[in-house]
Amino acid sequence: MANSARPVALVTGASSGIGAAFVHALAARGNDLVIVARDGARLEETAERLEKEHGAAVEVLAVDLTKATGLKLVEARLESSDPPVDLLVNNAGFGTFGKLYELRRDVEEREIRLNVMAVMRLCHAVLPGMVQRARGGVINVSSVAAYQPTPANATYGATKAFVNSFTHALSEELRGTGVKAMVLCPGFTRTEFQERAGVDSSAVPSGLWQQPEQVVDAALRSYDRGRSVCVPGPLNKAGAAFSSALPAVLSRKVAGAVIRRSE
Ligand SMILES: NC(=O)c1ccc[n+]([C@@H]2O[C@H](COP(=O)([O-])OP(=O)(O)OC[C@H]3O[C@@H](n4cnc5c(N)ncnc54)[C@H](OP(=O)(O)O)[C@@H]3O)[C@@H](O)[C@H]2O)c1
């Protein structure tokens, strides 16, 4: 059980990649943690390290957020004030790559359950208490893929476009409440993401990659400043600005041409 003198952060997808970098950075800043993912053994190892290296109290919730029972368990923790969660990081997510008509329908549906439904439901569970306490915030992890239609990963890009639109809207709804919402839009980041998606990313130039720690450092600095969006790294910022400036009918053609060249 967490020590109520320290702020508590709940991070989904904490067992690897960006989520693991979040929990280490947040523990180093003096947070207690609630860590969520499916792989209980990896979470227990992470908890042990966080306790040993940073003196953090850590609760482990080993659940599948695409399943109703898993989602309910995390919602219940977010609704509890024993002690209250001050920061929710909706980070768990995965991508599928290929043409929609060649992909499995059940996996596409699971992607929407995790990347979209869980994000909305966990925000819905945590925000009433935060608004009542006039304190706290949410970081929703999206992607630069949110900034244009993404042929060859149509569902993934669309889920992240939802996360961007949803979080921008929340940050306006929360104006004046003392509670913040920020969307984080990383580009290529060295995690298990590509491998899990079965994508060969060896042709991606090394200059385009970031380490998860760099992404999290940029995210927490932006969050501290009260920003509603963080696109980490100058190349990602430029790419997002370029895509945002184009109408979807043009940005989708650019994205389609890039994909066809790499096939
Ligand atoms: N890496 C990139 O290039 C990149 C770029 C832009 C955006 N992103 C976004 O960054 C976020 C984090 O991804 P990552 O790059 O750190 O990838 P990752 O290393 O594959 O981590 C994904 C995390 O999500 C958890 N997860 C997956 N399915 C889950 C489920 N059904 N229920 C609960 N937890 C689940 C995984 O743990 P378990 O397997 O133990 O459940 C893992 O902890 C994602 O939202 C992704 O879309 C990544």
Side-chain angles (χ1 to χ4, degrees):
M1 177 64 71
N3 165 1
S4 60
R6 291 160 61 107
V8 178
L10 185 148
V11 179
T12 69
S15 62
S16 77
I18 295 170
F22 259 115
V23 297
H24 285 284
L26 289 166
R29 286 170 152 228
N31 285 260
D32 286 338
L33 269 312
V34 186
I35 59 177
V36 182
R38 289 166 303 179
D39 188 332
R42 274 181 106 175
L43 289 179
E44 290 297 345
E45 268 171 44
T46 304
E48 220 171 278
R49 274 192 60 195
L50 296 174
E51 282 159 8
K52 204 149 94 192
E53 291 171 19
H54 305 291
V58 184
E59 297 171 53
V60 167
L61 299 180
V63 301
D64 185 337
L65 287 169
T66 67
K67 303 223 164 105
T69 45
L71 204 47
K72 283 212 173 96
L73 214 124
V74 183
E75 284 171 343
R77 179 61 190 88
L78 290 168
E79 284 160 354
S80 159
S81 51
D82 186 24
V85 170
D86 296 287
L87 172 65
L88 163 64
V89 183
N90 268 314
N91 162 78
F94 74 95
T96 49
F97 290 81
K99 292 173 179 145
L100 181 72
Y101 58 82
E102 293 169 348
L103 294 170
R104 278 177 49 180
R105 199 182 306 163
D106 59 335
V107 181
E108 297 299 287
E109 182 178 332
R110 236 186 298 136
E111 189 177 356
I112 294 173
R113 282 182 191 279
L114 184 63
N115 298 7
V116 173
M117 189 64 81
V119 171
M120 182 282 289
R121 292 215 16 185
L122 298 187
C123 284
H124 194 268
V126 82
L127 285 174
M130 285 184 174
V131 170
Q132 204 178 27
R133 293 185 293 277
R135 194 182 85 210
V138 174
I139 298 175
N140 289 332
V141 181
S142 179
S143 166
V144 290
Y147 287 93
Q148 66 284 299
T150 55
N153 53 344
T155 302
Y156 180 70
T159 66
K160 295 304 186 180
F162 172 92
V163 176
N164 272 40
S165 173
F166 178 68
T167 314
H168 278 293
L170 284 187
S171 92
E172 278 305 310
E173 289 181 4
L174 292 167
R175 196 177 281 278
T177 62
V179 180
K180 305 190 274 191
M182 186 186 89
V183 64
L184 168 64
C185 303
F188 289 107
T189 311
R190 300 258 183 224
T191 68
E192 296 174 14
F193 179 85
Q194 274 77 18
E195 194 190 325
R196 287 180 197 245
V199 172
D200 175 9
S201 50
S202 54
V204 177
S206 59
L208 286 184
W209 289 93
Q210 289 189 299
Q211 294 298 332
E213 292 75 16
Q214 291 175 287
V215 171
V216 167
D217 184 54
L220 292 176
R221 276 189 285 117
S222 294
Y223 181 76
D224 288 344
R225 289 186 194 134
R227 299 267 161 82
S228 57
V229 56
C230 171
V231 182
L235 290 177
N236 292 329
K237 272 193 186 66
F242 174 71
S243 295
S244 307
L246 296 179
V249 71
L250 275 183
S251 62
R252 86 163 193 237
K253 285 189 176 156
V254 173
V258 171
I259 289 298
R260 277 188 293 278
R261 275 192 61 188
S262 66
E263 277 174 349

